[in-house]
Amino acid sequence: MQRILFILVLLTIPTLTVISQAADPKLPNTAALKKIGQQMHAFVEGQQVSGVVTLVAHQGKVVHLKAVGLADMAQQRPMQTDSLFCIASMTKPMTATAVMILCDEGKLSVDDPVSKYLPDFADIELRSGPPARPLTIGDLMTHTSGVSGNQRNQGTLEATVQQFSKRTLKFQPGTQWAYSPGLSICGRIIEIVSGQPYEKFLQQRIFDPLQMTDTTFSPNAEQQTRIVTLYKPSKNKSALVTEPNWWCNLKAGRSPNPSGGLFSTAKDVARFYQMVLDGGRYGDVRIVSEKSVREMTTVQTGELEAGFTPGCGWGYGWGVVRTPQGVTRMLSPGTFGHGGAFGTQGWADPARQTIYVLMIQRTGFGNGDASDIRAGFQDLAVKAVDGNK
């Protein structure tokens, strides 16, 4: 009887699961995957980071999941595969997905003027006067809106977005790319259109169906014991020291931030990416339409220079590799993903059907999207995936 129950449990496990290397001859080379942990350990030994969690999923299966180093150096708390990270701007694609769910339901359009839902934005101006055309939801999701400034919530999401409406646009909408708090404005539109608090909409429509049980704006007491401490380099660059930051502050009154407020784990991030890579489905559950996935993960910014590394464009909430080069040289054109302020990275390569998730927690080391850690991880993962071709 126990054996029958065990088999039934296995049959109900969603697409993204850990399986043995021997189960599928098409899986990446085990020896090559082991090099990832060794390389990450070298970064830890070099005082570049306190600890790292890496995950590689290939053809719907997790083929590598490894934790090295420490989650907290003072406590000597080991990094674990279920350690929680402040993923900062990796929140943005999840917010964009929520917008596209509402698009699928006919409740809004990416071409809608922002002022249709937030009348205060009807009066937003450039220094030279009114914009040539209305600001749209699509502009917000592609960072071509001209909205600028700090992405931090000031009180509630509603109050924060009201303040954003008073900012002067940096440029005519659609004419340039500049990273912005546009997804926070989208979060408020989600509330207005759905009639639900932003965080509850994400919980019910994305996190719960995907079984992302460790993705949250408000970690509970148990989850807080697994949060990774944020570090920066010491003045002489010879050690790591703690760095308090408002993104990670869990004080009372912290409101959900659609631009960067989530905490998550490598496995939860991979579940979300697998759903998008699979065209908006996760197992038998449809989260968002294939059409919306295509729009999110296709360059919507034309020939504008976009993103934090060369050769990239921007879709609705996602960075997209147009011409692989530099840190993206090993990835296929069309690879989509996003990074976070503290070095976290998640990228999905449709041509290889492979997901790369890098979870670290550091600041003060320069552009996280172009880091040596990201490049080293992706290079080894791609070589392992391509090794059996």
Side-chain angles (χ1 to χ4, degrees):
M1 182 65 180
Q2 287 181 334
R3 185 176 180 181
I4 293 172
L5 288 174
F6 178 69
I7 292 171
L8 288 173
V9 169
L10 285 179
L11 290 174
T12 62
I13 294 176
T15 305
L16 192 64
T17 57
V18 179
I19 61 175
S20 72
Q21 180 67 28
D24 188 338
K26 296 180 182 179
L27 290 178
N29 181 273
T30 303
L33 289 172
K34 284 183 178 179
K35 292 181 181 179
I36 296 174
Q38 296 166 3
Q39 178 65 73
M40 296 304 106
H41 183 72
F43 284 118
V44 172
E45 289 293 304
Q47 294 291 301
Q48 296 296 298
V49 66
S50 67
V52 185
V53 176
T54 48
L55 182 150
V56 180
H58 180 60
Q59 296 180 352
K61 311 293 183 181
V62 174
V63 295
H64 164 87
L65 178 59
K66 180 73 173 177
V68 301
L70 298 173
D72 187 281
M73 298 172 70
Q75 299 175 9
Q76 288 292 291
R77 176 160 53 92
M79 188 71 78
Q80 305 287 348
T81 56
D82 66 347
S83 290
L84 245 68
F85 295 78
C86 176
I87 62 171
S89 287
M90 289 176 75
T91 303
K92 289 181 173 73
M94 300 182 191
T95 302
T97 300
V99 171
M100 300 309 287
I101 289 171
L102 292 171
C103 285
D104 289 342
E105 295 174 352
K107 295 179 179 177
L108 55 74
S109 166
V110 295
D111 297 322
D112 285 343
V114 175
S115 59
K116 178 178 179 179
Y117 308 98
L118 297 166
D120 288 347
F121 280 84
D123 300 324
I124 198 166
E125 294 191 347
L126 292 87
R127 289 184 178 178
S128 58
R133 64 162 176 79
L135 187 67
T136 69
I137 293 174
D139 294 329
L140 297 176
M141 292 200 290
T142 55
H143 300 289
T144 59
S145 65
V147 176
S148 62
N150 195 295
Q151 300 182 44
R152 185 174 186 173
N153 278 8
Q154 301 293 332
T156 65
L157 179 57
E158 180 180 5
T160 298
V161 171
Q162 285 177 342
Q163 289 299 313
F164 290 162
S165 71
K166 296 177 173 61
R167 296 180 181 179
T168 301
L169 295 178
K170 289 179 64 176
F171 50 79
Q172 292 284 354
T175 63
Q176 297 181 43
W177 188 92
Y179 203 56
S180 77
L183 271 299
S184 290
I185 301 170
C186 289
R188 178 59 185 148
I189 292 173
I190 290 167
E191 292 189 323
I192 292 167
V193 173
S194 70
Q196 288 183 284
Y198 158 76
E199 68 276 18
K200 288 188 177 180
F201 186 87
L202 263 65
Q203 188 70 48
Q204 293 179 9
R205 303 299 298 273
I206 300 175
F207 304 154
D208 285 346
L210 296 181
Q211 301 172 43
M212 295 169 63
T213 56
D214 275 326
T215 301
T216 178
F217 291 99
S218 303
N220 60 34
E222 186 280 324
Q223 289 169 329
Q224 289 182 37
T225 67
R226 293 187 276 127
I227 292 176
V228 179
T229 300
L230 176 64
Y231 291 96
K232 67 178 181 179
S234 61
K235 289 184 178 180
N236 63 6
K237 311 294 184 182
S238 64
L240 294 171
V241 295
T242 58
E243 171 67 359
N245 188 281
W246 61 269
W247 282 118
C248 310
N249 193 334
L250 297 178
K251 68 180 181 181
R254 178 181 189 267
S255 57
N257 187 318
S259 287
L262 283 171
F263 288 80
S264 192
T265 63
K267 287 186 283 188
D268 271 15
V269 168
R271 285 179 183 272
F272 176 69
Y273 275 64
Q274 188 68 56
M275 176 273 293
V276 179
L277 191 60
D278 287 346
R281 296 186 69 91
Y282 189 74
D284 294 330
V285 180
R286 168 66 66 184
I287 303 296
V288 64
S289 71
E290 288 188 55
K291 177 178 180 292
S292 287
V293 167
R294 284 195 301 272
E295 292 178 352
M296 285 192 292
T297 59
T298 298
V299 173
Q300 301 288 344
T301 50
E303 297 302 314
L304 291 177
E305 185 176 340
F308 301 100
T309 59
C312 290
W314 219 261
Y316 291 136
W318 296 84
V320 183
V321 177
R322 182 192 284 114
T323 307
Q325 57 190 278
V327 75
T328 66
R329 62 189 179 277
M330 71 293 292
L331 304 175
S332 305
T335 295
F336 58 89
H338 213 291
F342 307 127
T344 54
Q345 295 285 322
W347 294 85
D349 187 329
R352 291 187 175 90
Q353 284 294 296
T354 302
I355 295 165
Y356 317 92
V357 179
L358 170 70
M359 302 294 266
I360 60 177
Q361 209 81 138
R362 69 176 194 175
T363 188
F365 284 88
N367 181 0
D369 278 25
S371 72
D372 290 345
I373 296 180
R374 177 191 175 186
F377 164 54
Q378 289 179 171
D379 191 52
L380 289 170
V382 169
K383 287 177 180 177
V385 168
D386 289 352
N388 287 335
K389 286 186 176 181

